[in-house]
Amino acid sequence: MAELFIVDKKRNMKLNTLRYLDRKLGIPLCNSLYFFKKIFFRYKRIKFDRKKVKKILVIKIWGMGSIVLASPLFKNLKENFPEAEIWFLTKSGFESIYSNKFFNHTETIKLKGFLSAVWNFLKLIVKFRRNKFDLVIDLEIVSRYTALLSYLSGAKIKVGFEITGQNKDKFYDFKVLYHESKHISEMFLNTLKTLGLETVPRNPLPPVFANDTEEAFILKKYGVKKPYVVININASELAYQRRLAPEQFSLIIKNISDFFPEYSIILIGSKEETNYVGGFKNVFLPEIRNVFDLSGKTNLSELFFIISEARLVISNDSGPAHAASSFGVPLIVFFGPESPTIYAPQGGEKTIFYSRIHCSPCISVYKDKKIKCQFDAECLTGIDVGKINKKVLEYLKNNRDKNHRNNFKEI
């Protein structure tokens, strides 16, 4: 199995380098800039006046799932400022999740390494200062990079998260206290509440895809027939340790194929995850004909369409799980290193498998979300596959003829 993880390690090294630099360079930079600010700029209490807000920047770079969970904030922001011009800064590739549904303009950033991060940082500062934003909302929890970007953007009002020991909140005019006992969607909404704005709690809104006719072509192209189940064996480079073991996934898939041979089984994944997914299929499922590997073969719009039409989605704690939940598609999701208290999918019919062992959750914002597992991923390997299979069969028996997307109503 070692050959399946080569690409993963390369991507993980890049992210760990960025995390390391964000802490080792970000903290002294934040402290130095704050010291400079205290000496040369007289403190002035900032008052928020919503009538003066004409241009807004929202920053959320990492995590497709987190962007989906932030959609209630996006909707409320649009409702509070219907005439404002709203910009969105995110990682390259995520700009199509909501397209122009909430934003007038989307700016993307590529973080391939230290030099690209610095170069993009400088370019963005110039662009943001030229555009003269009235309000910046930084939704990144631990990033000093985005805190510095928010401050140097020149925006009149800056909102972000306050977390003990992270040395980033000193640049925000209005702060939201991070709580590990609250769901992240609620904390995102609090960025508006801290400004004294009214918000309406709602479930995440479904991502955007073009239209059924265009997107359905991808199924026909690869010979996938309905009904089908979508399986996501991946987790992003933010924390690969969130993945259920390949051996466990193989037992789940073989069980579906045995009891529901009329179902197609779709394996999904990004281009970067193609080797992992392809290797998994070749090693564990070489003779199962109703398994289709679509990893790296779909864009986000096509992926969202495929998820929206599924009878069931089975996923690790990652973006596709949150997309499925937003469409109201039945979902089985596995949590281990991360806490479902903070990141559980919102909306739709779902079952969360979470062992709650002594060391879980181990992902912490106080450690920059880095994981050093000493217990061989016991939080995930300890999940009973028999119980998972029982729940899978229950869902599939009850959902043979349902189209859950047709039942979804946007609030």
Side-chain angles (χ1 to χ4, degrees), residues 68-96:
V68 173
L69 291 173
S71 61
L73 161 69
F74 302 153
K75 178 80 170 177
N76 276 276
L77 186 65
K78 194 76 174 173
E79 290 170 348
N80 273 282
F81 301 98
E83 303 301 322
E85 181 181 341
I86 304 177
W87 285 40
F88 184 49
L89 173 64
T90 191
K91 181 184 173 185
S92 179
F94 290 160
E95 63 271 21
S96 62

Side-chain angles (χ1 to χ4, degrees), residues 5 9 86 88 104-105 117 122 134 136 152 163 174 189 193 227 239 244 250 266 274 304 328 330 358 365 368 382 396:
F5 295 88
K9 287 182 178 179
I86 304 177
F88 184 49
N104 302 93
H105 177 78
L122 297 174
D134 300 300
V136 170
L152 294 173
I163 306 172
F174 292 84
L189 274 182
K193 290 182 179 179
L244 196 71
S250 68
I266 300 177
T274 299
F304 294 144
H358 65 97
V365 297
D368 290 342
L396 293 182

Side-chain angles (χ1 to χ4, degrees), residues 178-382:
Y178 178 84
H179 285 278
E180 290 191 326
S181 60
K182 292 184 177 181
H183 195 275
I184 194 66
S185 283
E186 181 184 352
M187 288 188 274
F188 286 154
L189 274 182
N190 286 344
T191 60
L192 295 185
K193 290 182 179 179
T194 194
L195 295 172
L197 299 171
E198 293 185 5
T199 61
V200 178
R202 45 170 62 93
N203 287 327
L205 286 83
V208 172
F209 55 84
N211 62 65
D212 291 8
T213 304
E214 289 181 24
E215 307 303 359
F217 176 74
I218 194 72
L219 298 177
K220 186 177 180 180
K221 180 179 179 181
Y222 293 104
V224 179
K225 295 180 180 180
K226 294 182 178 180
Y228 60 78
V229 176
V230 170
I231 309 282
N232 175 40
I233 69 170
N234 309 288
S236 75
E237 68 268 30
L238 291 175
Y240 290 123
Q241 296 88 340
R242 293 174 293 166
R243 295 188 296 204
L244 196 71
E247 293 84 356
Q248 291 167 289
F249 265 118
S250 68
L251 293 175
I252 295 168
I253 292 171
K254 288 174 183 176
N255 187 62
I256 296 172
S257 185
D258 289 343
F259 283 91
F260 295 90
E262 74 275 20
Y263 272 77
S264 298
I265 301 169
I266 300 177
L267 302 178
I268 60 172
S270 66
K271 289 181 180 179
E272 293 82 5
E273 293 161 340
T274 299
N275 286 355
Y276 180 70
V277 178
F280 166 78
K281 183 176 183 295
N282 292 335
V283 171
F284 291 101
L285 312 168
E287 298 178 359
I288 300 182
R289 295 184 178 180
N290 60 333
V291 175
F292 298 85
D293 176 10
L294 298 192
S295 62
K297 298 171 183 174
T298 65
N299 57 37
L300 272 185
S301 181
E302 292 165 338
L303 174 64
F304 294 144
F305 169 79
I306 289 169
I307 289 173
S308 74
E309 292 285 320
R311 288 291 182 266
L312 174 67
V313 171
I314 304 172
S315 175
N316 295 315
D317 160 34
S318 61
H322 296 287
S325 186
S326 73
F327 283 117
V329 175
L331 170 68
I332 293 176
V333 60
F334 310 114
F335 275 81
E338 185 56 276
S339 168
T341 302
I342 305 173
Y343 283 104
Q346 302 288 286
E349 188 180 1
K350 59 185 173 292
T351 297
I352 297 173
F353 283 90
Y354 179 50
S355 296
R356 297 182 184 276
I357 65 170
H358 65 97
C359 57
S360 176
C362 60
I363 294 180
S364 172
V365 297
Y366 304 105
K367 297 179 181 178
D368 290 342
K369 293 197 168 188
K370 289 185 67 176
I371 302 174
K372 291 184 179 179
C373 182
Q374 302 174 14
F375 301 99
D376 296 323
E378 186 183 335
C379 57
L380 289 169
T381 58

Side-chain angles (χ1 to χ4, degrees), residues 118-134:
V118 172
W119 177 240
N120 277 281
F121 183 83
L122 297 174
K123 286 198 302 182
L124 288 170
I125 289 174
V126 173
K127 179 173 281 192
F128 292 161
R129 293 187 77 87
R130 284 176 180 170
N131 278 277
K132 299 180 180 179
F133 290 100
D134 300 300

Side-chain angles (χ1 to χ4, degrees), residues 248 251-252 255 353 382-393:
Q248 291 167 289
L251 293 175
I252 295 168
N255 187 62
F353 283 90
I383 295 176
D384 188 340
V385 176
K387 291 181 179 178
I388 298 171
N389 284 336
K390 183 178 180 181
K391 182 56 68 172
V392 169
L393 297 181

